[in-house]
Amino acid sequence: MTRLDLFIARMVSQRACLDHGIAATAHMKGPVFELGLGNGRTYHHMRETISDGRPIYVFERAVASHPDSTPPEDLTILGDVRETLPAALDRFGPTASLVHADLGGHNLAKNDEFARLVSPLIQPLLAPGGLMVSSDRMYFDQLEEMPLPDGAIDGRCFIYRA
Ligand SMILES: C[S@@+](CC[C@H](N)C(=O)[O-])C[C@H]1O[C@@H](n2cnc3c(N)ncnc32)[C@H](O)[C@@H]1O
């Protein structure tokens, strides 16, 4: 696979898993968490696709998104997720219906190390039945890894259920 093939596979898988996660949690009332805003493409997709009124809180250390894809201030949780996720647990409790994480960069070993670090901070935020969609393999001891939906490619995206 070329780097272009890998990039396309990741993007196609991200959209398929997000669409699946959004539909499968549409009956839930709890908030949606987007971890890592970046350019805001996945945030924009979630905002346009979630039509049931669930708020989407965005966790990001420095907002630098496209103007069309910038969340309102009251739904932006600024700072390092190593600090903002534990604070979110105090604020929201185990209520999240859907968590999407795309926090990584180009260094796969660093992404994996970070996924190990943040997994125990994400796990307690999910409501029973809530889903987590991630670009990186996560390390949960209480969430179940789910099969990927049609259109997603193994290893390019991961789905976990509380
Ligand atoms: C790959 S980008 C996200 C791309 C986004 N999904 C999109 O579609 O445009 C990763 C983002 O995660 C953020 N990030 C990485 N580590 C973080 C941390 N420890 N705390 C908060 N944000 C972090 C980076 O600042 C970056 O904006």
Side-chain angles (χ1 to χ4, degrees):
M1 265 200 170
T2 66
R3 285 186 53 223
L4 180 63
D5 293 331
L6 283 170
F7 177 76
I8 291 169
R10 192 162 71 82
M11 294 297 106
V12 165
S13 302
Q14 199 172 44
R15 184 181 56 192
C17 290
L18 270 178
D19 286 345
H20 171 78
I22 289 166
T25 57
H27 63 288
M28 298 176 75
K29 297 271 175 271
V32 173
F33 294 157
E34 165 78 322
L35 312 184
L37 176 65
N39 182 280
R41 289 189 190 95
T42 50
Y43 167 70
H44 186 267
H45 189 76
M46 293 162 83
R47 195 185 69 197
E48 299 303 308
T49 310
I50 295 174
S51 55
D52 49 44
R54 282 180 286 172
I56 308 170
Y57 289 90
V58 177
F59 294 68
E60 174 57 59
R61 60 184 164 203
V63 172
S65 47
H66 186 283
D68 282 353
S69 311
T70 300
E73 260 178 43
D74 61 328
L75 295 177
T76 304
I77 299 183
L78 259 188
D80 192 304
V81 292
R82 286 168 285 197
E83 289 163 15
T84 55
L85 289 173
L89 184 60
D90 290 342
R91 177 175 170 191
F92 298 100
T95 61
S97 54
L98 177 65
V99 178
H100 172 239
D102 184 16
L103 290 161
H106 296 299
N107 185 324
L108 297 183
K110 273 195 176 167
N111 293 350
D112 186 60
E113 194 183 320
F114 197 66
R116 288 175 191 273
L117 199 149
V118 293
S119 290
L121 308 181
I122 293 169
Q123 182 168 281
L125 288 164
L126 281 161
L131 291 182
M132 200 237 156
V133 171
S134 176
S135 298
D136 295 302
R137 176 177 298 289
M138 304 301 285
Y139 297 89
F140 298 122
D141 49 26
Q142 285 167 30
L143 306 192
E144 180 190 3
E145 187 169 350
M146 305 299 289
L148 297 184
D150 283 349
I153 295 148
D154 272 341
R156 302 272 84 85
C157 203
F158 301 86
I159 302 181
Y160 302 90
R161 186 171 67 185

